[in-house]
Amino acid sequence: MLQDLPFGRLENEFKNIHPEAHDIVVCVRDNSILVKRDENDALTLPTVAQVGEWAYANSWEHWNEEAFQYVFRMQDENYFIWMGEAGEPVDTAFAYEQARGLRQVASKHICYGAMTAWHLFSWYRASRYCGRCGTMTVHDEKERMMRCPNCGNMIFPRISPSVIVAVSDSLLLSKYANRAYTRYALIAGFTEIGETAEQTVEREVMEEVGLKVKNIRYYKSQPWGVDGNLLMGFYCDLDGEDTIELDRDELAMADWFPRNDLPAKDDGISLTREMIRVFGEGREPR
Ligand SMILES: [Zn+2]
């Protein structure tokens, strides 16, 4: 999957450090990220030195006195985000690309880093003011948290838990209604306040396809920063009738597929695709 890096894991513990010229910067504008793409679809992100020069030349604005915020370390490099809507680069080999489109590229670690930085950027952007009293917040120096200097409100990064569900005997696959993503997917949905992940599984399957399930087994999880999610993957068995009653607001179609004839290949990126492949191989947890 996307987060399985060849040289170890993303080091995401908070550090209060300042940018150096060679550090890497994720610049966000609207729904896009500033990248340079080569002829092999490998991506490069700009450095602090480059972004500093472009920001000065083209008057990029940022939110507070700190233009760069440290986010994490990956493969021996420090990553920062530009703390504002980014402007035009001077080097025209760089261009803004849709964050969701980056999953197709050759540089999986850049895609994962960009999506994770995007998640943090969205949280920092949404946390500039205290939601309780409206005062401008300040950065905490010891942990990843925004603090209100007026009322003491502490704002931590927001992660939305959600589930993806593989229902068997045959495998239940669906396609979303009214979305850009048109490939086969597993049943999915956000965990509501007051319920367990297992209850989310039961509720989402009932809401979207009208089926009862049992024997719910946890498989793996995946961070999905571009939507602010932590996806938790479950397998489960059908309990009773297999007649699908489709929620047409959510899904365009849903159907049963036999283990030896599944219409989706593993792309090495998403938990959904891995779960479909593992089911095809008969290796899902029992
Ligand atoms: Zn406050």
Side-chain angles (χ1 to χ4, degrees), residues 90-260:
V90 171
D91 180 348
T92 54
F94 282 86
Y96 287 94
E97 292 200 24
Q98 288 276 327
R100 284 170 199 281
L102 296 181
R103 58 182 285 163
Q104 311 298 349
V105 303
S107 323
K108 271 193 345 186
H109 72 288
I110 296 288
C111 176
Y112 175 49
M115 281 173 58
T116 305
W118 167 281
H119 189 173
L120 284 161
F121 173 84
S122 303
W123 171 73
Y124 276 118
R125 179 169 55 186
S127 307
R128 292 162 60 198
Y129 296 92
C130 175
R132 194 187 285 166
C133 77
T135 302
M136 190 169 265
T137 56
V138 296
H139 290 267
D140 188 82
E141 293 187 352
K142 295 211 176 70
E143 56 187 325
R144 181 120 51 208
M145 184 246 286
M146 300 298 288
R147 179 189 298 281
C148 175
N150 181 47
C151 76
N153 187 19
M154 297 184 289
I155 309 167
F156 291 93
R158 186 172 57 201
I159 304 166
S160 303
S162 55
V163 303
I164 53 180
V165 191
V167 187
S168 58
D169 291 339
S170 299
L171 190 63
L172 181 66
L173 295 174
S174 58
K175 289 189 174 183
Y176 291 115
N178 315 315
R179 285 209 215 167
Y181 189 85
T182 55
R183 301 193 291 181
Y184 281 103
L186 298 167
I187 300 295
F190 285 103
T191 300
E192 298 282 356
I193 290 173
E195 73 182 1
T196 65
E198 290 81 358
Q199 288 167 337
T200 312
V201 168
E202 292 174 349
R203 180 180 52 75
E204 285 291 340
V205 176
M206 180 54 73
E207 283 178 6
E208 295 195 359
V209 288
L211 298 173
K212 274 187 74 178
V213 297
K214 62 183 179 184
N215 191 20
I216 296 167
R217 291 100 72 195
Y218 175 69
Y219 175 61
K220 281 182 187 175
S221 65
Q222 177 173 47
W224 199 251
V226 76
D227 292 319
N229 289 357
L230 177 66
L231 301 168
M232 294 170 281
F234 290 88
Y235 290 91
C236 60
D237 299 333
L238 181 67
D239 184 11
E241 283 293 315
D242 68 354
T243 309
I244 295 166
E245 287 178 40
L246 205 61
D247 175 356
R248 296 203 171 273
D249 291 336
E250 285 287 321
L251 299 179
M253 63 81 64
D255 210 346
W256 297 102
F257 291 85
R259 209 181 273 274
N260 61 3

Side-chain angles (χ1 to χ4, degrees), residues 5 30 50 63 81 99 175 214 232 235 241 280 284 286:
L5 302 173
D30 299 324
Q50 286 174 308
W63 301 322
I81 50 174
K175 289 189 174 183
K214 62 183 179 184
M232 294 170 281
Y235 290 91
E241 283 293 315
E284 78 275 18
R286 300 298 171 106

